Amino acid sequence: MNTYYKFAPNVFLAKCEEMHKKGEEILVTTKYGKENESIVFNLIFEKDGFYYYSIVRADGFNVQEWAKQRAERRHEWAASSERKSKQYFDKSNKDRDFLSLGEPIKVGHHSERRHRKAIDDAWNNMGKSVEFIDKANEHERVAKYWEERANTINLSMPESIDFYKHKLEQAKEYHEGVKSGKYPREHAYTLTYAKKAVNEAQKNYELAKKLWGNGNENQ
């Protein structure tokens, strides 16, 4: 059975008992027993008789699709909360005509109980209406976050080779610009941080090539 193995942040390899060829479709089982059809890319390493391959889902599902689903789900929850807020708001106004008269509670009168109940119901329903509209706003806030994440490219995706190559080129250009004086040194560590960014971009680019490359990418 092929299972998932966490290799790096956002990156899971297929841990396989047998060797596979690039482009071969295999089933990979999650820890919950769900099988996903996956496409084999590169053999990353061998260990203890197992072969570890970079893979992508055959159905195209990736971190971007996952983020889109999370965003859609949050929008649905927000709409549901808005509907509940409207329902409670309407309930809070069912005795509006009576309460708008502003009549004081007649203590001891047969209307006292109804009057107090009307006030309590209006107050409680308005409170729930506000509670649900606050929930709706929070769901929309989180939905926006996942919508932004839906455009993310990371090492779990073959497209990351071009992405990190571009990042590396940008980092190198900025680093050289800081050294030459093209870009100002905002503080004492500007050059140090620029070099650190180059090293990080280089590491990600090399890892992306290892995961998804054909061995003939431009250096």
Side-chain angles (χ1 to χ4, degrees):
M1 180 174 69
N2 306 315
T3 57
Y4 286 96
Y5 170 83
K6 187 167 186 178
F7 177 62
N10 303 306
V11 180
F12 286 86
L13 306 178
K15 179 182 177 182
C16 306
E17 297 174 345
E18 300 177 355
M19 293 191 69
H20 297 285
K21 295 180 180 179
K22 187 166 187 172
E24 184 178 344
E25 289 195 16
I26 62 174
L27 292 176
V28 184
T29 305
T30 70
K31 62 181 179 181
Y32 303 109
K34 181 183 178 183
E35 292 183 330
N36 293 319
E37 292 185 4
S38 302
I39 301 172
V40 172
F41 269 72
N42 296 330
L43 175 64
I44 304 304
F45 64 91
E46 299 178 39
K47 183 179 179 181
D48 300 329
F50 290 96
Y51 304 91
Y52 294 79
Y53 293 94
S54 56
I55 53 170
V56 293
R57 287 269 293 265
D59 59 6
F61 188 85
N62 58 19
V63 65
Q64 292 179 336
E65 292 303 316
W66 184 77
K68 288 177 184 177
Q69 287 189 4
R70 295 294 292 268
E72 290 170 359
R73 190 177 307 134
R74 285 287 181 165
H75 282 309
E76 291 172 358
W77 292 350
S80 176
S81 292
E82 287 179 354
R83 287 193 295 270
K84 290 178 180 178
S85 176
K86 176 67 165 55
Q87 291 170 0
Y88 280 112
F89 178 79
D90 291 342
K91 286 183 179 180
S92 74
N93 282 290
K94 68 183 180 66
D95 295 311
R96 179 180 57 187
D97 292 341
F98 170 69
L99 295 176
S100 65
L101 298 175
E103 293 188 7
I105 296 174
K106 299 174 183 178
V107 179
H109 191 267
H110 67 83
S111 64
E112 178 184 359
R113 185 175 179 181
R114 175 178 176 272
H115 197 157
R116 291 187 185 279
K117 186 175 185 305
I119 293 174
D120 289 343
D121 286 349
W123 179 260
N124 291 334
N125 286 319
M126 181 57 72
K128 289 181 179 178
S129 176
V130 172
E131 177 185 342
F132 276 105
I133 201 64
D134 286 345
K135 286 184 178 180
N137 291 335
E138 176 61 11
H139 287 315
E140 286 294 347
R141 183 192 69 79
V142 177
K144 183 178 180 181
Y145 166 79
W146 285 116
E147 284 174 340
E148 292 172 352
R149 288 289 301 275
N151 297 317
T152 296
I153 293 179
N154 60 39
L155 287 167
S156 70
M157 307 162 67
E159 299 93 321
S160 63
I161 292 180
D162 290 336
F163 176 76
Y164 285 113
K165 182 180 180 182
H166 178 63
K167 286 287 188 182
L168 177 58
E169 291 169 351
Q170 285 184 316
K172 284 182 175 179
E173 195 277 333
Y174 179 70
H175 178 242
E176 291 300 322
V178 172
K179 287 199 298 183
S180 68
K182 178 181 178 181
Y183 301 117
R185 300 194 184 195
E186 303 293 342
H187 48 73
Y189 296 100
T190 299
L191 183 60
T192 300
Y193 289 157
K195 177 58 176 174
K196 184 178 179 181
V198 170
N199 294 341
E200 184 68 20
Q202 184 74 52
K203 182 182 72 173
N204 286 329
Y205 178 47
E206 294 300 328
L207 184 52
K209 288 194 296 180
K210 183 176 182 179
L211 288 165
W212 313 113
N214 295 315
N216 57 357
E217 287 78 13
N218 294 326
Q219 299 299 317

